[in-house]
Amino acid sequence: MPAKIIAISKTFPLETIMPLIEHGHLHYGENKVQEAKFKWTNIKNEKKNLSLHFVGKLQTNKTKDVVKLFDYVHSLENIKQAELLSKYENELNKKLKYFIQVNIAHEKQKSGIDPKDTKNFIEICNSKYDLKIIGLMCLPPYVETTEKYFSMMLDLKKSSQIPHLHQLTELSMGMSNDYLKAIHYRSTYVRIGTKIFGERK
Ligand SMILES: *Cc1c(COP(=O)(O)O)cnc(C)c1O
């Protein structure tokens, strides 16, 4: 399967995104809930096959809106979030698909779960909260050795499989600068903003 392209449309108005939607592209990503609600609520009602991916930080008071509007979340990283997401899925009778965000380079300033805790966390998300975890996501450091981290993510995906419980099939990694490298390490979803829409202000 070729990698799917998520067009990261944050900061751009719907009129800039519209030609791509009309062309038939289906996957879009946003990182701010308020902005996404404003831009996507109507068009998603009109075009049922569009998929919206949340790639920002999950905040408690915005979680319900995330479940309402989005189809995928790439930034699930702790139990409290899992519990809330599960609560709103039940309330709204809707199921999303989740990536676990992994802090693959152990960077202090970055979000994400420790690689060694990943498998256990997935197991809890599945068994206790009934969340559909489809893969792993990372935001590796911008360094020469990015490939090392992509390779570690591929290994972590393999070692995080839980037999009979679910299949962890997806990897969300690679942005405008490094998507070709990410695809080399079998990324299945690349998140591209700048290379599609231009520089952000
Ligand atoms: C903005 C963003 C991207 C896209 O970045 P570009 O370098 O513009 O392609 C990808 N992933 C996340 C999580 C982002 O916030």
Side-chain angles (χ1 to χ4, degrees), residues 17-29:
I17 309 163
M18 215 51 213
L20 201 52
I21 296 174
E22 297 296 350
H23 184 71
H25 189 74
L26 295 177
H27 292 272
Y28 296 86

Side-chain angles (χ1 to χ4, degrees), residues 17-163:
I17 309 163
M18 215 51 213
L20 201 52
I21 296 174
E22 297 296 350
H23 184 71
H25 189 74
L26 295 177
H27 292 272
Y28 296 86
E30 295 280 345
N31 70 342
K32 298 241 160 60
V33 179
Q34 282 308 113
E35 179 189 341
K37 266 171 85 172
F38 176 75
K39 276 156 66 174
W40 290 98
T41 302
N42 288 341
I43 187 86
K44 277 202 87 212
N45 279 329
E46 271 167 46
K47 300 189 184 282
K48 299 288 184 202
N49 58 352
L50 288 182
S51 286
L52 202 55
H53 296 250
F54 184 68
V55 300
K57 203 166 166 58
L58 274 174
Q59 291 173 294
T60 307
N61 61 340
K62 304 271 172 63
T63 303
K64 189 170 184 176
D65 283 334
V66 168
V67 175
K68 258 189 205 159
L69 182 65
F70 288 84
D71 305 287
Y72 295 76
V73 169
H74 290 241
S75 48
L76 174 55
E77 55 161 338
N78 66 50
I79 294 283
K80 197 179 141 211
Q81 293 168 346
E83 191 177 352
L84 259 191
L85 288 161
S86 158
K87 177 183 150 195
Y88 293 128
E89 280 196 347
N90 289 330
E91 238 178 80
L92 299 163
N93 195 22
K94 183 178 172 193
K95 282 277 184 204
L96 280 68
K97 293 175 181 155
Y98 298 93
F99 292 86
I100 306 299
Q101 184 169 349
V102 180
N103 191 349
I104 194 66
H106 297 99
E107 294 174 279
K108 286 224 162 54
Q109 75 282 12
K110 277 199 190 147
S111 307
I113 194 158
D114 192 302
K116 72 174 164 31
D117 299 328
T118 303
K119 186 172 180 177
N120 187 43
F121 181 57
I122 293 169
E123 205 148 16
I124 294 169
C125 287
N126 266 288
S127 58
K128 186 160 182 209
Y129 298 109
D130 197 26
L131 297 177
K132 190 169 172 52
I133 312 297
I134 62 167
L136 305 178
M137 176 272 209
C138 73
L139 277 164
Y142 284 117
V143 289
E144 306 255 303
T145 52
T146 311
E147 284 179 270
K148 176 177 94 180
Y149 298 111
F150 290 152
S151 162
M152 286 166 70
M153 287 292 288
L154 182 57
D155 288 343
L156 186 63
K157 184 183 105 167
K158 286 176 188 156
S159 64
S160 302
Q161 300 292 340
I162 302 166

Side-chain angles (χ1 to χ4, degrees), residues 8 10 31 55 137 139 175-176 191-194 200:
I8 303 290
K10 62 189 185 195
N31 70 342
V55 300
M137 176 272 209
L139 277 164
M175 305 175 22
S176 292
R191 309 179 310 264
I192 316 253
T194 311
R200 289 179 294 274

